[in-house]
Amino acid sequence: ASTSRASLKRAAASDGHENNERTPKRLRVEKEFVQYEESGPAGHPFDGNIVADPDYFLDSGVAWAIKWEFTRLSARREIKVTPELLANLQGSHTRVAASLRRIVNPPNLDGASSSKSMHPWHARELAVTAPWEELDREDKAWEEGNDEGIGLKAKDGWYGGKVQFSTTLTWDKSRRQFEMQLNAPTLGKSTHFGRAFHSHSCITVRIAKDALKHPDLKVYLKQRHRFFGRDFYVLDASTEKVTLVDSKARRPRHNPATERPEEAQGIRWMLNYLNPMDQNMTQSVSKWRARFQLYFSDTVPGFRLPYDRLEEQDDIELPHGPGKCPAEKVLTDGCGRISAEALKSIQVNLKLERPMSAVQIRFYGAKGMALSMLPPGYEDPLPKDVVLRPSQIKIQHDQRYRYDEAKLTIDIVRPAKVSVPARLSAETIQILSHNGVPTSVFLDLQKK
């Protein structure tokens, strides 16, 4: 998080200032990071922020999301937690959630509910965004250890990461402290991080204006935040919102042998897996931090590519002076290539009616557009299935994870589509004209 009180997001530094030197700012960030992750070592009292971690849930057999919802619903009234109540909270999310409001608000002596009845329209609206069946499916995939959550493995096309957990951070003036209020989990769009590590491994914190202006906000956010026995750290920050992640989250098929001894503490392994600092030293600190947002875009899994079918080609650039080529002279800025076969697989997996000529992707630390390659016979040698440009690659990954299935999954942001009627922009006309479309064609279109 930035030191700014008005915003948690710094403006990204210009690419022209990026270099390999360990600047004073980078050295300070590295020192603060070590202090940040090593706070509260094992064997010492927990010195972070305990948001929600009641003792009665320890070894209770209650699902993590049910603990969340029970705590949220019971925040406004005192409830005596008994062994019988805990037994009623055990079981699948779907079964327990159906009776959770009755458990928290039991009927009065006259048989009437102590809570107001819900209007049928409101009940149907809540049912559409209810996350409980989805969480049961995710938990089942994790228990079976087949990594179905990352997508493209289940016969019915299912993938995980669709449930959003969020809190609201406020400043309690009377108690003179920050307060995190749990919000109801909802069913929404999927993200790469959610698919790779389970929906409940990511929490969005929305910051109210009173908390955003408080001078101690940065100190508060830099702590560990405990939710029901699991420690969460801030991984990404933007205006009025931060993202917390579970530092110990792992996929079922994760191999512990790939972890180094120094990665056992804090959030170091997660950082090295997602965006290792030592592999991305050419970036400014602000840009390195901003790259984590790639993992939290709304995407769907489209196609999984073998590592040996990926290649990199130089950008096509106009003549320029010494040093880095200006972005306006990079003709292929943010635009790679993809084979027709891969596009066909994406079309089938996404159940699209028509074939695509381009697709917006997130893939292996890269982002941007991928255009369809020419049919076989037009190029020799034939490129591999995906060609990435240097202008697309935002994260250089650790080679320990070059065969990681989640990283080798092409995440689709948006497929290309044709909308009619449409207008040709000046840029599009210039491109078409440069590639041989006669001027008379544009004049005829203008007359129509």
Side-chain angles (χ1 to χ4, degrees):
S2 144
T3 55
S4 169
R5 297 181 186 179
S7 171
L8 293 178
K9 184 177 182 180
R10 288 187 185 271
S14 170
D15 283 341
H17 296 291
E18 294 180 357
N19 53 62
N20 289 310
E21 297 179 3
R22 300 180 73 191
T23 62
K25 178 181 179 182
R26 181 178 288 276
L27 292 171
R28 175 174 57 80
V29 169
E30 292 176 353
K31 180 179 178 181
E32 289 183 355
F33 165 66
V34 172
Q35 296 173 346
Y36 168 61
E37 67 170 1
E38 291 182 351
S39 62
H44 289 67
F46 183 79
D47 63 347
N49 171 39
I50 301 180
V51 180
D53 192 27
D55 293 337
Y56 52 75
F57 277 142
L58 183 64
D59 299 326
S60 63
V62 178
W64 193 87
I66 294 297
K67 294 178 184 179
W68 177 290
E69 186 67 355
F70 175 83
T71 303
R72 184 187 74 85
L73 292 174
S74 59
R76 300 302 179 186
R77 63 189 301 268
E78 186 176 349
I79 296 179
K80 183 179 180 180
V81 179
T82 64
E84 291 75 19
L85 186 146
L86 291 175
N88 289 331
L89 296 179
Q90 296 175 7
S92 69
H93 295 88
T94 306
R95 185 192 68 79
V96 176
S99 58
L100 197 54
R101 287 185 176 273
R102 178 182 55 79
I103 294 174
V104 175
N105 298 287
N108 296 324
L109 294 176
D110 58 359
S113 173
S114 58
S115 62
K116 295 181 180 180
S117 59
M118 187 181 299
H119 193 282
W121 290 357
H122 186 207
R124 286 197 294 269
E125 181 182 357
L126 290 178
V128 173
T129 58
W132 311 118
E133 290 186 8
E134 184 66 23
L135 287 169
D136 284 335
R137 181 73 184 264
E138 278 199 78
D139 282 356
K140 180 181 178 182
W142 245 252
E143 291 169 3
E144 293 179 351
N146 53 20
D147 273 356
E148 269 193 359
I150 63 176
L152 307 176
K153 288 177 174 285
K155 293 182 179 179
D156 59 357
W158 176 85
Y159 52 88
K162 302 172 188 173
V163 180
Q164 278 81 50
F165 291 87
S166 67
T167 68
T168 301
L169 181 63
T170 60
W171 174 255
D172 190 327
K173 293 183 178 179
S174 61
R175 301 171 63 186
R176 300 188 62 80
Q177 65 181 27
F178 290 103
E179 181 178 342
M180 237 186 238
Q181 301 172 352
L182 307 186
N183 299 325
T186 58
L187 185 64
K189 295 182 178 180
S190 178
T191 66
H192 179 100
F193 188 92
R195 292 191 294 274
F197 295 107
H198 201 295
S199 293
H200 63 208
S201 293
C202 173
I203 299 173
T204 300
V205 180
R206 306 191 184 280
I207 306 175
K209 291 184 178 179
D210 55 353
L212 188 64
K213 297 177 181 178
H214 199 279
D216 293 334
L217 176 62
K218 180 179 177 181
V219 176
Y220 176 83
L221 290 175
K222 286 177 67 176
Q223 301 180 79
R224 293 181 293 164
H225 304 274
R226 178 160 292 181
F227 293 82
F228 311 110
R230 295 161 56 198
D231 294 341
F232 288 73
Y233 293 78
V234 173
L235 184 68
D236 183 42
S238 59
T239 306
E240 300 182 358
K241 184 180 75 172
V242 299
T243 302
L244 304 178
V245 298
D246 181 3
S247 61
K248 301 299 181 184
R250 305 289 189 272
R251 290 210 307 279
R253 291 187 178 180
H254 172 73
N255 182 7
T258 61
E259 298 187 28
R260 301 183 180 120
E262 64 270 19
E263 293 176 331
Q265 189 70 39
I267 198 175
R268 183 179 290 271
W269 178 85
M270 186 65 73
L271 290 178
N272 287 343
Y273 174 83
L274 298 175
N275 187 7
M277 183 178 286
D278 61 347
Q279 301 290 324
N280 296 275
M281 296 294 286
T282 59
Q283 300 181 12
S284 64
V285 172
S286 59
K287 285 215 166 185
W288 173 79
R289 183 207 61 79
R291 301 310 186 202
F292 289 104
Q293 296 174 8
L294 295 176
Y295 294 100
F296 301 101
S297 304
D298 294 336
T299 57
V300 297
F303 179 64
R304 185 162 297 116
L305 187 74
Y307 181 75
D308 59 2
R309 296 302 300 165
L310 165 66
E311 70 173 282
E312 183 178 339
Q313 289 182 359
D314 291 336
D315 280 295
I316 301 174
E317 302 174 349
L318 294 175
H320 59 87
K324 184 175 181 179
C325 180
E328 62 270 17
K329 292 191 174 184
V330 181
L331 300 182
T332 53
D333 187 24
C335 187
R337 308 171 71 198
I338 186 169
S339 68
E341 292 77 10
L343 281 176
K344 180 62 177 178
S345 297
I346 294 173
Q347 177 190 349
V348 172
N349 291 332
L350 270 57
K351 297 179 173 60
L352 301 177
E353 295 181 359
R354 295 180 176 87
M356 300 170 290
S357 59
V359 64
Q360 187 177 357
I361 65 171
R362 302 282 188 269
F363 174 63
Y364 210 76
K367 61 177 291 189
M369 187 73 69
L371 294 179
S372 177
M373 296 179 186
L374 296 173
Y378 284 84
E379 293 185 78
D380 186 30
L382 194 67
K384 296 182 179 179
D385 284 316
V386 170
V387 174
L388 297 179
R389 309 282 190 181
S391 60
Q392 291 183 285
I393 301 173
K394 307 303 179 183
I395 298 174
Q396 296 289 346
H397 286 301
D398 193 313
Q399 287 299 298
R400 289 179 291 170
Y401 305 112
R402 61 185 179 275
Y403 299 116
D404 186 279
E405 287 188 307
K407 294 184 183 296
L408 291 172
T409 300
I410 299 177
D411 296 332
I412 307 302
V413 180
R414 187 177 296 109
K417 61 180 181 180
V418 177
S419 300
V420 290
R423 296 179 180 271
L424 294 178
S425 66
E427 293 82 2
T428 304
I429 293 174
Q430 290 176 7
I431 293 172
L432 293 174
S433 178
H434 177 78
N435 284 278
V437 177
T439 304
S440 59
V441 173
F442 300 110
L443 294 175
D444 290 342
L445 287 173
Q446 189 174 18
K447 292 177 182 179
K448 293 179 180 179

